[in-house]
């Protein structure tokens, strides 16, 4: 059995998305900036894509800027807000301790440039409190950036409440919706979102395509200077096939939200229930206010990396947290942010499901994880110390 | 007849490139940063791609950074060199007046940040003189950036000579090789190139993929912060299919350089000869030191845009200059840089050929351009004034 359960890292391109891309590789391959009809055909295609995405986010097509992915969109949103702030002498930004590194690293860079960054604590349930956001906003705050759903533990933030607070205080609000887009309903107007980032390959679209939504009136700073593409805000020939694939995938994903929520929530809860039967295990993040397909559990006394390699040998593809930092030996900053101590943050497992996963697979996963955890514990000196009472369990 | 003669704007994806991409959409779709075997398979694939490209440029794989395209690579190269310069208190950059906007616009931005920019004049033949580069370099020069081949007039610059001068003076040398890569041989060691940008869709690879080559030891500044991808220098999940397509296309294009040079030079010269028979026409750029497939001619008394629309109606897809600025009414900055006056810079035609073009097409193009130019002149008040001697011809 081969089970792909790492859809938060990336997804398989859907048939619909692939078919939307194919004609633009070698049939309608003109440059959208070209004047002749074959170029204009490509330009009209990306306009249609812009309309599709705008409609699903409830914004206007001209508020959609195509980027090479979620990281680029996050960078451009935050740099733009920082520059707008600087022109008004406002150099304070509010964010959270468990954002994606695309957000945290650009905030660190801004800090070196003289900006003041407040990173809010995240509670054990992995939810940011709107009143704490409100309390952190100052007269010189130029931006609040809070992710829509966390990429490791899947917890969904009270975006509409945070948006309303920012709106009332006149502060720009950006949300990294890379994990949420195509999985939960987003309405930038109703949720008072000024800027939003999404990435196609997280909802069965292609890699290399993303969107920055920026409400009209927000003056964007280019991070890629060049031609007049994207209303002068992003140089470089438009990636027409990827844009078409992204729009098709987003439309398809949004149409499936109700069905997938029902299906994945059932699978998620079944796996979670199974895994929590393993002694000294704990769910990371709120059990209900999380993405339908996200399971994230810590097991005491084992290393997440070993767990992944043993599961891979059993045909299960999962992760310990974010794929983007898998080369690092540091424990997950997300798990530390929700208060997990180092020794158990190392023993995490993230399973992120798609509609292709089945109940049979859920049972197989639960069974195999239990076996592997038991095996790893049997070899673990830490576990022996815990069992012999030389150390105390962190997870009861 | 449908003739695509705008390969400098973008190219049709080659069969080889497309086939190299396809498996990575929905079969080997894992995230290269994932630990399990399916992720590692993707990671190994992009390592192979890195090796292929490095070998063709004569550099090491770790000197290759994948980007979303040529514009991103240009931006990152120039920003990196500027930051390295700032740390040494060197804030002077030498470039030319006919660079691509991805270079010129980032230089303008740096100028606002206090850098001093020297833009060298380009001579009528569209060639930058190495001794003028040498004379422009000062003690506080941190970067020389000169494009390999111009995107409008196709002239090929004396890159090895400029590289040697920069090397001898200890100044970083970057070249925007977007139009050259895959069309002429490049050897970054022999040509003393420290940084180089290329873009896959200019050599029958996919849109949305590019390379920044940066010699080891050059500390790159991220323009996209995020995960640890590309040795920490470019955040965002790797665009695996596009990278595979780019490597396959580059290998294919490099293998065809000799054959294509012979074929396209013959086509180019045939078309050029035909077009220059039209009275009051002039070739832009040196007739020999130019890309094999590039023809760029000015016709007095007509508007380039009208010419393009009439040619489109005859099935000929061409451009007046860069696709990236086709929305603009300004005359080409490249044609102004080589000394063409405004009134004739507006009447330019660029034809950029690929191996798919034929001698029959060359004849058809020559015939149709002559017809359309004659027709447009018959309606042109400027042409009437010229004919009646009320104005003097710029092109004799």
């Amino acid at each position: 059995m081969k089970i792909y359960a790492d859809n938060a890292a990336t997804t398989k391109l859907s048939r619909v998305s692939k078919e939307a891309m194919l004609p633009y590789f070698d049939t309608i391959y003109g440059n959208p900036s070209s004047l002749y009809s074959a170029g204009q055909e490509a330009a009209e295609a990306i306009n249609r894509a812009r309309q599709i995405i705008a409609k699903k986010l409830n914004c206007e097509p001209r508020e959609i800027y195509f980027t090479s992915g979620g990281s680029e969109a996050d960078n451009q949103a935050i740099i733009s807000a920082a520059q707008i702030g600087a022109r008004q002498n406002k150099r304070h930004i509010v964010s959270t301790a468990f954002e994606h590194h695309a957000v945290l690293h650009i905030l660190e860079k801004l800090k070196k440039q003289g900006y003041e960054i407040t990173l809010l604590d995240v509670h054990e349930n992995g939810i940011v409190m709107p009143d704490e956001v409100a309390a952190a906003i100052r007269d010189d705050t130029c931006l609040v950036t809070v992710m829509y759903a966390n990429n490791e533990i899947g917890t969904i933030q009270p975006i509409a409440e945070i948006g309303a607070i920012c709106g009332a205080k006149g502060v720009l609000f950006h949300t990294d919706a890379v994990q949420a887009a195509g999985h939960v309903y987003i309405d930038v107007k109703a949720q008072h979102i000024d800027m939003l980032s999404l990435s196609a390959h997280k909802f069965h679209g292609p890699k290399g395509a993303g969107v920055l939504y920026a409400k009209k009136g927000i003056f964007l700073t280019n991070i890629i200077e060049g031609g007049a593409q994207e209303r002068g805000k992003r140089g470089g020939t438009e990636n027409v096939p990827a844009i078409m694939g992204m729009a098709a995938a987003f439309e398809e994903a949004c149409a499936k939200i109700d069905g997938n929520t029902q299906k994945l929530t059932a699978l998620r809860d079944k796996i979670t229930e199974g895994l929590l039967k393993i002694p000294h295990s704990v769910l990371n993040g709120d059990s209900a206010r999380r993405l339908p397909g996200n399971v994230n559990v810590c097991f005491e006394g084992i290393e997440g990396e070993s767990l992944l390699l043993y599961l891979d040998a059993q045909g299960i593809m999962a992760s310990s947290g974010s794929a983007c930092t898998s080369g690092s030996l540091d424990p997950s900053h997300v798990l530390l942010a929700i208060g997990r101590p180092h020794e158990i943050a190392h023993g995490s497992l993230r399973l992120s499901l798609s509609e292709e996963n089945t109940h049979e697979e859920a049972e197989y996963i639960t069974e195999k994880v239990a076996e592997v955890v038991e095996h790893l514990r049997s070899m673990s000196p830490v576990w022996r110390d815990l069992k012999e009472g030389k150390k105390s369990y962190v997870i009861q």
Side-chain angles (χ1 to χ4, degrees), chain A residues 73-117:
Chain A
D74 281 341
N75 277 255
Q76 189 167 15
I78 294 169
I79 288 173
S80 298
Q83 298 253 322
I84 293 167
R87 288 191 286 272
Q88 304 168 337
N89 220 8
K90 293 179 173 182
R91 291 188 174 80
H92 175 241
I93 296 172
V94 176
S95 188
T96 78
F98 79 156
E99 297 295 310
H100 189 272
H101 283 132
V103 168
L104 290 178
H105 288 171
I106 189 71
L107 292 178
E108 280 166 27
K109 200 183 236 182
L110 288 170
K111 196 173 171 182
K112 285 181 196 154
Q113 293 171 16
Y115 286 81
E116 205 179 325
I117 314 294

Side-chain angles (χ1 to χ4, degrees), chain A residues 100-273:
Chain A
H100 189 272
H101 283 132
V103 168
L104 290 178
H105 288 171
I106 189 71
L107 292 178
E108 280 166 27
K109 200 183 236 182
L110 288 170
K111 196 173 171 182
K112 285 181 196 154
Q113 293 171 16
Y115 286 81
E116 205 179 325
I117 314 294
T118 300
L119 292 186
L120 295 172
D121 283 337
V122 184
H123 296 265
E124 202 203 331
N125 65 357
I127 312 281
V128 177
M129 294 290 127
D131 58 349
E132 295 181 10
V133 175
I137 293 174
R138 312 187 315 209
D139 287 346
D140 64 341
T141 304
C142 60
L143 172 71
V144 170
T145 174
V146 175
M147 69 201 315
Y148 203 117
N150 183 269
N151 56 316
E152 296 193 21
I153 60 176
T155 48
I156 297 170
Q157 307 307 314
I159 293 300
E161 290 89 322
I162 297 171
I165 290 164
C166 295
K169 298 203 179 223
V171 174
L172 284 179
F173 175 46
H174 166 254
T175 184
D176 170 357
V178 165
Q179 292 291 330
H183 301 283
V184 300
Y185 290 110
I186 297 176
D187 181 328
V188 295
K189 283 210 182 72
Q191 294 176 303
H192 310 280
I193 299 167
D194 297 311
M195 290 193 279
L196 175 144
S197 314
L198 63 77
S199 171
H201 77 104
K202 306 292 192 184
F203 49 75
H204 303 281
K207 294 178 176 70
V211 160
L212 170 57
Y213 151 76
K215 197 169 155 179
K216 61 174 180 277
I218 295 176
F219 187 84
L220 293 182
T221 299
N222 288 37
I223 60 172
I224 302 179
E225 297 283 353
Q229 294 92 351
E230 299 303 306
R231 306 176 71 225
K233 295 305 177 186
R234 204 274 181 191
T237 302
E238 299 89 339
N239 189 348
V240 186
I243 289 168
M244 300 316 288
M246 171 162 63
F250 194 50
E251 194 167 38
E252 184 185 23
C254 289
K256 286 180 172 179
I257 287 176
D258 289 341
N260 278 345
T261 299
Q262 200 175 4
K263 180 179 174 183
L264 299 187
T265 304
L267 284 178
R268 174 194 81 186
D269 292 347
K270 181 176 188 160
I271 295 173
T272 306
E273 197 184 346

Side-chain angles (χ1 to χ4, degrees), chain A residues 28-73:
Chain A
I28 312 163
Y29 59 89
N31 189 316
S33 301
S34 298
L35 286 175
Y36 43 78
S37 41
Q40 289 307 301
E41 205 179 331
E44 282 158 24
I46 63 173
N47 280 344
R48 285 198 306 278
R50 216 181 289 278
Q51 283 162 12
I52 289 169
I53 294 170
K55 196 173 170 192
K56 293 292 171 195
L57 293 175
N58 192 25
C59 67
E60 292 175 29
R62 63 172 176 145
E63 296 174 319
I64 297 292
Y65 299 85
F66 293 124
T67 69
S68 71
S71 293
E72 186 188 326

Side-chain angles (χ1 to χ4, degrees), chain A residues 279-318:
Chain A
H280 305 284
S281 63
V282 66
L283 180 68
N284 294 312
D286 195 273
S287 62
R289 295 168 72 184
R290 68 195 297 140
L291 290 171
N294 179 288
V295 177
N296 190 314
V297 173
C298 277
F299 303 102
E300 187 148 13
I302 64 159
E303 286 289 335
E305 279 208 12
S306 311
L307 177 55
L308 294 187
L309 295 175
Y310 274 84
L311 289 178
D312 186 26
Q314 302 291 336
I316 299 168
M317 292 168 260

Side-chain angles (χ1 to χ4, degrees), chain A residues 10 57 278-279:
Chain A
T10 193
L57 293 175
I278 298 172

